[in-house]
Amino acid sequence: MRLLADSPPVTPALRETMKAKVVLAGAPRVGKTSLIRRYVLGEFSERYKETLGAIVYKREAIVSLGTHDVEVTMTIWDVIGQSEAGDPLRNVDLYGAQGVLAVCDVMDPGTVPPLRRRIAAAVRAAGEIPVQILMNKFDLGPSEEAKGAVLRAGLERGIPCYATSAKSGDNVVAAFEDLARRIVERSLLPLKGPLDNVDRKILVESAAEALSPDEVAKAEHIPVIFAEARLERLRHLGLVQLAGLGLDNRGRPRLSYGRTHKPIEPALVTAA
């Protein structure tokens, strides 16, 4: 393993800090290395070079919580591409991960099944950590079959999808730093614990119509990151589910959440 690239250190005053292991997963030749090098080094090469073993990069991302910032130091693992599920020992890179970027070639539908298998392997190895799907090479023209299969996979598992291009840089920074934000979100609210009045209001309103994080943030006068954290917590509790998943006009995820039929457990109920 080699630590190749460190971005210049960021040293703001009075910032919270945290570390996060991020793994890029997917079939060979989907552009995992190119995406990392675009994000960390700001460069792109047309020459393909197969990754052997694991190469670890590092970069800091700043996540704003409204009143203060969190500096997330991401160690980004670039590992050999896998088309099959393989022996569990081959998924050792996924152990201890706090986030995964699952990458496919959006021109090649054949890269979607390996992406699904690696997502399943990540859940087995690291639990229900934040995962994002990157539909790479979008600038070259997506296959509608591949695009549709990816969006279905994202909707089934509750995973945001991004249209990325390592060549042009489209949505690369957004995909990496939105993952850092979601990692921070996981620390904002405990997955277990009683529901408060805002949670209850979300459950009532999402039973009538699907809600987006922006709509929750506007209605409750809270930062979007806190609205996202609440929705994701309720999703992990099985009380809401991803009701809609698409791409906005920038190729970034457009999400909405709807109420499930699962009853609220007594342990989650407190007096108003």
Side-chain angles (χ1 to χ4, degrees), residues 29-30 103-112 134-137 146:
R29 297 179 177 269
V30 296
V103 186
C104 73
D105 178 344
V106 76
M107 299 189 300
D108 182 3
T111 64
V112 180
L134 276 55
M135 296 184 281
N136 199 34
K137 308 183 185 180

Side-chain angles (χ1 to χ4, degrees), residues 133-135 150-151 154 159-163 245-247 251-253 255:
I133 296 176
L134 276 55
M135 296 184 281
V150 169
L151 290 174
I159 298 175
C161 300
Y162 294 73
L245 171 62
L247 300 176
R252 298 180 185 179
L255 309 175

Side-chain angles (χ1 to χ4, degrees), residues 21-232:
K21 176 183 176 181
V22 172
V23 179
L24 270 77
R29 297 179 177 269
V30 296
K32 299 185 297 298
T33 300
S34 294
L35 286 164
I36 295 173
R37 294 183 69 85
R38 168 62 72 181
Y39 177 58
V40 176
L41 303 175
E43 63 182 34
F44 174 80
S45 173
E46 296 279 4
R47 293 180 296 175
Y48 173 75
K49 184 177 181 181
E50 183 179 4
T51 300
L52 301 175
I55 304 174
V56 180
Y57 297 74
K58 185 171 72 173
R59 178 167 166 172
E60 287 81 18
I62 306 301
V63 176
S64 174
L65 298 182
T67 57
H68 63 284
D69 294 339
V70 177
E71 179 183 303
V72 184
T73 299
M74 291 186 285
T75 52
I76 305 168
W77 287 53
D78 181 16
V79 300
I80 187 169
Q82 296 187 33
S83 295
E84 302 300 329
D87 188 294
L89 291 177
R90 295 191 64 188
N91 294 317
V92 67
D93 56 292
L94 296 168
Y95 287 92
Q98 279 83 49
V100 171
L101 294 172
V103 186
C104 73
D105 178 344
V106 76
M107 299 189 300
D108 182 3
T111 64
V112 180
L115 173 142
R116 282 178 170 271
R117 289 191 286 268
R118 285 287 273 167
I119 291 173
V123 172
R124 289 193 299 270
E128 292 288 343
I129 59 174
V131 178
Q132 296 182 171
I133 296 176
L134 276 55
M135 296 184 281
N136 199 34
K137 308 183 185 180
F138 210 89
D139 59 306
L140 300 178
S143 155
E144 290 303 316
E145 179 185 353
K147 180 181 175 183
V150 169
L151 290 174
R152 286 193 297 274
L155 186 59
E156 290 167 9
R157 287 191 168 270
I159 298 175
C161 300
Y162 294 73
T164 61
S165 167
K167 183 175 183 178
S168 68
D170 290 348
N171 290 326
V172 175
V173 171
F176 277 87
E177 299 195 351
D178 285 354
L179 182 65
R181 188 194 73 244
R182 291 183 64 211
I183 292 170
V184 172
E185 283 175 10
R186 290 293 297 272
S187 68
L188 296 179
L189 291 171
L191 291 182
K192 298 295 183 181
L195 305 180
D196 62 15
N197 288 334
V198 174
D199 295 323
R200 294 192 187 101
K201 186 176 178 182
I202 290 172
L203 292 178
V204 170
E205 294 183 351
S206 62
E209 62 178 342
L211 298 175
S212 72
D214 286 339
E215 289 170 333
V216 172
K218 183 177 180 180
E220 300 303 325
H221 306 288
I222 58 176
V224 173
I225 188 170
F226 289 103
E228 290 173 338
R230 286 181 177 274
L231 287 164
E232 277 298 291

